[in-house]
């Protein structure tokens, strides 16, 4: 069962936490690994875990945007070899290295710095090959328990118990994925130091300017937390810390003055701020491109808030 499948159905009857842990153990420790695709794709799935429809559907375009961003940062930004043989590059490593040359992108650039049209053209190429080499293989490595998919229709429907599981254990599963990815990369990239740190930062953007612009235009120029205006540049703050969500969604961003931002640090804001964020998002939804709020709901934001605290993030009072 694996990479050449055109479609796969969800295996019924594996919805308990024990079942899912068992499949995850196989995925991480026993399934054959010849490239880093499965780890890159798992990171993209985790980045999109709050981007599922109520029925569990995820968008190929979102998934492969994040997959491409992660892979670009591994291959071009960090120059890391992605397969278990030095004689042959993985197909997607090849696509990205060739794109870097073709578009003359400086090697130290992170993916989000590329012009929008160039990003989209690369994502489409990666998606085409990801459909061929990644979705079916990941499906096989998780024994058909994580999602159903259909390549031709571009559908991927997550198992709802798996979605809940990944939300509940997000911090653990993210760290485990990073650890295994770093371990694999170390084997084939001997000259590199601090592999785990590189891997942990691989989802990060070079810049949050896009979000700053949207917030400043639509919510005004004062601090979300203390309400003061300041001459200093406002920070673009991940309401639920980036360290936890590992993704950048407009509905999780606020503008904060440097004082509040520094005080808040890596904590979750107090509950009254959550209510204020619902209101900010309701307003923004009327004003920005719909895609920024894909699959968003207040209920999801509330769930994210609760899971962040149960995953150990302290509340900033
Ligand atoms: Zn403030």
């Amino acid at each position: 069962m694996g990479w050449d499948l055109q479609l796969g159905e969800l295996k019924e009857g594996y919805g308990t936490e024990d079942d899912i842990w068992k499949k995850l153990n196989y995925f991480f420790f026993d399934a054959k690994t010849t490239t880093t695709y499965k780890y890159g794709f798992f990171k993209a799935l985790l980045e999109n875990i709050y981007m599922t429809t109520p029925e569990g559907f995820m968008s190929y375009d979102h998934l492969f945007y994040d997959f491409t961003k992660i892979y670009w940062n591994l291959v071009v930004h960090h120059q890391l070899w992605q397969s278990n043989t030095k004689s042959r590059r993985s197909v997607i490593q090849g696509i990205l290295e060739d794109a870097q040359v073709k578009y003359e992108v400086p090697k130290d650039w992170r993916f989000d710095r590329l012009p929008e049209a160039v990003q989209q053209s690369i994502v489409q190429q990666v998606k085409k090959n990801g459909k061929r080499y990644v979705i079916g293989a990941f499906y096989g490595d998780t024994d058909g328990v994580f999602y159903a998919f259909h390549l031709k229709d571009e559908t991927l429907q997550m198992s709802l118990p798996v979605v809940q599981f990944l939300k509940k254990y997000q911090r653990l599963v993210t760290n485990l994925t990073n650890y295994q990815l770093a371990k694999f990369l170390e084997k084939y990239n001997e000259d590199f130091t601090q592999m785990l740190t590189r891997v942990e930062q691989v989802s990060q953007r070079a810049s949050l300017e896009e979000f700053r612009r949207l917030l400043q235009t639509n919510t005004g120029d004062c601090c979300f937390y203390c309400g003061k205006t300041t001459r200093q540049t406002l920070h673009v703050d991940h309401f639920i810390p980036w360290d936890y969500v590992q993704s950048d969604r407009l509905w999780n961003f606020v503008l904060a003055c440097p004082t509040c931002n520094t005080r808040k640090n890596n904590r979750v804001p107090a509950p009254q701020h959550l209510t204020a964020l619902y209101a900010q998002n309701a307003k923004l939804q009327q004003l920005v491109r719909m895609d920024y709020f894909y699959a968003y709901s207040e209920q999801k934001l509330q769930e994210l808030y609760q899971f962040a605290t149960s995953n150990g993030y302290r509340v900033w009072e």
Side-chain angles (χ1 to χ4, degrees):
M1 184 155 82
W3 64 273
D4 55 349
L5 286 172
Q6 290 299 306
L7 59 97
E9 288 179 2
L10 201 58
K11 260 201 203 171
E12 297 292 337
Y14 291 89
T16 69
E17 289 198 357
D18 276 357
D19 294 333
I20 299 167
W21 276 123
K22 201 167 159 187
K23 299 300 175 194
L24 268 186
N25 273 296
Y26 174 81
F27 173 87
F28 281 121
F29 304 113
D30 292 316
K32 198 171 156 228
T33 309
T34 54
T35 72
T36 53
Y37 290 159
K38 68 181 204 183
Y39 300 123
F41 193 63
F42 204 178
K43 286 176 75 60
L45 276 181
L46 287 164
E47 271 195 56
N48 281 276
I49 204 66
Y50 285 87
M51 300 277 280
T52 59
T53 67
E55 301 79 28
F57 285 100
M58 283 185 180
S59 135
Y60 276 35
D61 287 325
H62 290 154
L63 277 173
F64 281 104
Y65 180 86
D66 290 323
F67 180 81
T68 306
K69 174 192 71 181
I70 289 163
Y71 235 69
W72 173 279
N73 293 341
L74 288 168
V75 167
V76 180
H77 181 72
H78 286 305
Q79 305 275 302
L80 292 164
W81 190 263
Q82 302 298 317
S83 73
N84 67 350
T85 153
K86 275 285 178 195
S87 55
R88 209 176 61 218
R89 312 186 287 190
S90 79
V91 173
I92 296 175
Q93 179 180 342
I95 291 171
L96 297 175
E97 286 176 350
D98 295 349
Q100 182 267 325
V101 174
K102 181 181 164 192
Y103 297 109
E104 300 176 344
V105 184
K107 281 188 176 168
D108 61 342
W109 276 24
R110 286 179 177 267
F111 187 66
D112 62 293
R113 283 185 74 175
L114 275 59
E116 180 75 27
V118 174
Q119 288 186 30
Q120 279 316 319
S121 140
I122 299 173
V123 169
Q124 290 309 315
Q125 256 182 298
V126 170
K127 182 171 87 171
K128 194 172 141 207
N129 287 277
K131 284 166 73 171
R132 196 159 161 201
Y133 297 111
V134 182
I135 291 186
F138 187 97
Y139 174 86
D141 286 342
T142 48
D143 200 22
V145 166
F146 271 44
Y147 55 69
F149 71 96
H150 195 301
L151 295 184
K152 206 164 153 247
D153 298 349
E154 297 204 349
T155 55
L156 187 150
Q157 186 176 18
M158 293 291 293
S159 139
L160 295 178
V162 169
V163 170
Q164 279 314 104
F165 179 96
L166 293 178
K167 285 176 176 174
K168 184 171 172 188
Y169 297 109
Q170 186 170 353
R171 205 175 185 185
L172 270 179
V173 175
T174 301
N175 283 359
L176 192 50
T177 310
N178 287 342
Y179 176 87
Q180 292 298 99
L181 172 56
K183 204 171 156 193
F184 181 92
L185 288 171
E186 269 188 358
K187 230 189 277 179
Y188 305 101
N189 298 274
E190 287 157 5
D191 301 338
F192 287 80
T193 57
Q194 304 217 321
M195 192 64 83
L196 192 52
T197 307
R198 289 172 201 270
V199 163
E200 279 177 339
Q201 290 168 358
V202 94
S203 296
Q204 246 164 2
R205 285 169 180 258
S207 156
L208 298 175
E209 276 314 306
E210 175 189 353
F211 301 106
R212 175 197 305 284
R213 244 188 359 258
L214 284 164
L215 291 173
Q216 271 177 335
T217 313
N218 296 302
T219 70
D221 241 346
C222 58
C223 172
F224 176 82
Y225 298 112
C226 68
K228 286 182 192 147
T229 47
T230 164
R231 282 203 191 149
Q232 293 168 288
T233 310
L234 290 168
H235 294 187
V236 185
D237 178 51
H238 288 87
F239 184 83
I240 306 293
W242 187 88
D243 186 56
Y244 181 66
V245 292
Q246 309 253 321
S247 68
D248 304 300
R249 309 289 173 214
L250 181 60
W251 46 263
N252 188 42
F253 280 117
V254 298
L255 293 173
C257 70
T259 314
C260 286
N261 197 234
T262 311
R263 284 196 189 138
K264 176 183 173 243
N265 196 9
N266 205 25
R267 289 180 291 178
V268 170
Q272 73 267 22
H273 294 304
L274 181 62
T275 314
L277 185 56
Y278 294 153
Q280 171 172 300
N281 283 336
K283 185 178 166 199
L284 277 172
Q285 266 178 298
Q286 312 296 322
L287 300 168
V288 301
R289 226 172 54 216
M290 256 165 59
D291 197 48
Y292 283 109
F293 282 88
Y294 180 86
Y296 166 80
S297 69
E298 281 184 10
Q299 190 198 336
K300 254 185 210 167
L301 180 54
Q302 185 189 30
E303 205 182 18
L304 173 61
Y305 186 89
Q306 279 163 352
F307 278 127
T309 47
S310 67
N311 273 262
Y313 285 80
R314 285 175 306 126
V315 176
W316 171 49
E317 300 291 355

